[in-house]
Amino acid sequence: MKVTVIDYGLSNLLSVRHAFAHFGAEVELTSKPEEILAARALVLPGVGAFRDGMEGLARLGLMEPIRKKAGEGTPLLGICLGMQMLFDASEEFGLHSGLGLIPGRVVRIPDTDTDGCPQRVPHISWEPLLPAGGRSDFSGTVLQDVAPGQECYFIHSYEARPAREEYRLADALYGGRPVCAAAQKGRVVGTQFHPEKSGPVGLTIIQNYLKLCEQ
């Protein structure tokens, strides 16, 4: 299986590449629109600010190729900032438009928990994944074979809020509030956590994504 990882200058490419190569996938790193348009499966990783990420995609002419491929049904996995950029817009450092592939908006994590006590932002921790969107488990999704309550690694100051509950695959709790941990619309999937840094659980998710790509 060949996976095309999008390089726009704000990505931890080495760990992502190793995670997919662990399962024998051929990993292509690219910043070229024509290679994205030829891809069978896409990965959009990312760390940093939403504005900078979208500017990086725009500068390289990658926004429309990504939208085109998603519209054609090509599997696309967004990781951390990459997941946030799948949404319509973000309020980080002003209001900025995203790729618009999953309806919803990205907002800052509150500085206080549900009891009104201060909480640390950014949110940096291992958190249990909980089924969301009316699901009782993760069967039939890219999180299949992950048991509810298994933990993944998060590091983020902003959270995605899908416009419809059905787009939420999983939540994590932070400060007593649900945070969208994974989202999906069609074959576009996003994880707020880093599967490539989440040990065996994360590798299970990456393997499931490869299976989705082969369907």
Side-chain angles (χ1 to χ4, degrees):
M1 185 67 207
K2 183 177 180 179
V3 176
T4 300
V5 178
I6 301 167
D7 179 9
Y8 56 99
L10 287 178
S11 309
N12 186 6
L13 298 176
L14 185 61
S15 57
V16 172
R17 184 173 192 168
H18 284 171
F20 280 94
H22 177 79
F23 294 104
E26 177 187 351
V27 181
E28 174 187 53
L29 305 180
T30 187
S31 302
K32 298 179 179 179
E34 62 271 23
E35 292 180 349
I36 290 175
L37 290 171
R40 292 181 54 200
L42 291 166
V43 179
L44 180 63
V47 294
F50 187 100
R51 175 190 60 196
D52 296 339
M54 291 305 300
E55 287 178 352
L57 294 180
R59 183 178 64 254
L60 295 166
L62 304 182
M63 291 170 58
E64 290 311 313
I66 293 171
R67 288 174 174 145
K68 178 177 172 59
K69 293 297 286 185
E72 293 173 349
T74 300
L76 168 60
L77 173 64
I79 297 174
C80 196
L81 173 61
M83 167 178 159
Q84 294 181 3
M85 293 193 298
L86 300 176
F87 284 81
D88 292 323
S90 172
E91 298 176 3
E92 185 175 9
F93 301 123
L95 185 62
H96 303 280
S97 296
L99 290 166
L101 302 177
I102 302 178
R105 181 172 287 203
V106 177
V107 301
R108 183 172 169 80
I109 296 172
D111 293 323
T112 58
D113 63 20
T114 53
D115 294 325
C117 298
Q119 66 179 7
R120 183 175 65 177
V121 179
H123 167 213
I124 306 174
S125 65
W126 289 75
E127 300 288 357
L129 299 183
L130 307 173
R135 298 171 179 81
S136 58
D137 58 30
F138 298 125
S139 60
T141 76
V142 74
L143 303 182
Q144 181 157 329
D145 306 318
V146 176
Q150 288 190 290
E151 296 183 346
C152 287
Y153 178 69
F154 291 78
I155 174 168
H156 61 122
S157 298
Y158 284 74
E159 58 174 309
R161 293 186 179 171
R164 297 174 62 172
E165 188 68 16
E166 66 192 72
Y167 300 144
R168 300 175 83 105
L169 285 187
D171 284 341
L173 293 179
Y174 188 57
R177 296 184 183 91
V179 171
C180 183
Q184 180 171 359
K185 183 184 179 190
R187 289 162 71 85
V188 176
V189 182
T191 63
Q192 182 61 71
F193 57 88
H194 287 271
E196 78 282 7
K197 297 181 180 179
S198 295
V201 175
L203 288 176
T204 295
I205 295 167
I206 286 172
Q207 186 176 36
N208 285 342
Y209 179 67
L210 288 170
K211 291 178 182 177
L212 172 68
C213 295
E214 293 170 350
Q215 293 174 1

